[in-house]
Amino acid sequence: MDTCLSNQAALSFLPSRLRRQSGDGGGGVFSLPSMRKVQYRSMVVVATAGQSRCEPGSSLNAPLELRSAQGRFLRSVLLNKRQLFHYAAADELKQLADEREAALARMALSSGSDEASLHRRIAHLKERYCKTAVQDIMYMLIFYKYSEIRVPLAPKLSRCIYNGRLEIWPTKDWELESIHTCDALELIKEHVSAVIGLRVNACVTDNWATTQIQKLHLRNVYDASILYGYFLKSASLRHQLECSLSDLHGSGYLKGPVFGSSFTTGTSQISSAKEQLRHYITGFDAETLRRCARPRTEEARNLIEKQSLALFGAEESDETIVTSYSSLKRLVLEAVAFGTFLWDTELYVEGTYKLKENGNAEEQENRSI
């Protein structure tokens, strides 16, 4: 098999519902990453009754249950035809974008007619349907990224607690750290140390020492770590961009101020752009910090909430859990990776399907009313 499959070969696997709008077979429609010719044995965390730890399984389990046909279809593709996953995901996104656009077009055309209210209702239902589906697609894209580094997502934590003790296995620290740049990893290690109380360079014995933590506090730590990963990804790319622009300015290819009016300009910015990520972030004003740390879209915000709910459950319990520092570190590193992958996925999906901009808390409350 070639390392990069053609779109024609990929679409031949897909059911007719996915091919019906592909015209000549979809050739040249999608720009997709090359597929490596590897045999993949899925590794997913599961737990069985009577065990005190979570162990790898042979299926694609995840804490969040997929609600849409698109999500379940992609799950099946990843399990059975992994090399076609990105083709299938791209096609599902295109289908959703086309269906939503068609519903909005019919609503606009019916404006002022007797059928206007009907088409408004249809467009509203289609929007809700597409929102659920695209969130499932985003979740599967994130899941795929974990699978690329052979890291199983932790399942519902209730399945990993036995006799009041939480253990998650395998740790996968190296794999979860490997996705970050050196500068970002340094900050992540400090974050892990701060939130779980373990020294950055702790020995193996310290890692496996036991500690106690309230379940609600652990949930808050997990949520904050997702946002931290999202923030670091955004800030890191921003830093890289400004370093590249400063190089162009310094070589004479770029004249005048390096950045827009909302940023510091001129030679002072050129010198600061080359500094380490840590120092670069400390120079952010309040608005820049808010923009980098806040999910840009409603779909991303919803996925964070759903992942946390699926992992910890709906009950906000003050139950105290006994666990090892190693398991806590595993959860925090997984959460940081989730935020990093979410940022990438959000950007990828918006290339095909327009996501909804994340409004402020007051706007969200008004919408819910």
Side-chain angles (χ1 to χ4, degrees), residues 183 239 243 271-283:
D183 278 359
H239 182 224
C243 285
S271 61
S272 64
K274 288 294 187 181
E275 64 191 355
Q276 287 186 330
L277 179 62
R278 172 196 305 279
H279 300 125
Y280 174 76
I281 290 174
T282 59

Side-chain angles (χ1 to χ4, degrees), residues 43 72 74 101 111 185 296 312 360:
M43 293 280 287
R72 291 188 291 270
L74 289 180
E101 186 64 29
S111 179
L185 183 56
R296 294 184 298 106
F312 291 92
N360 58 41

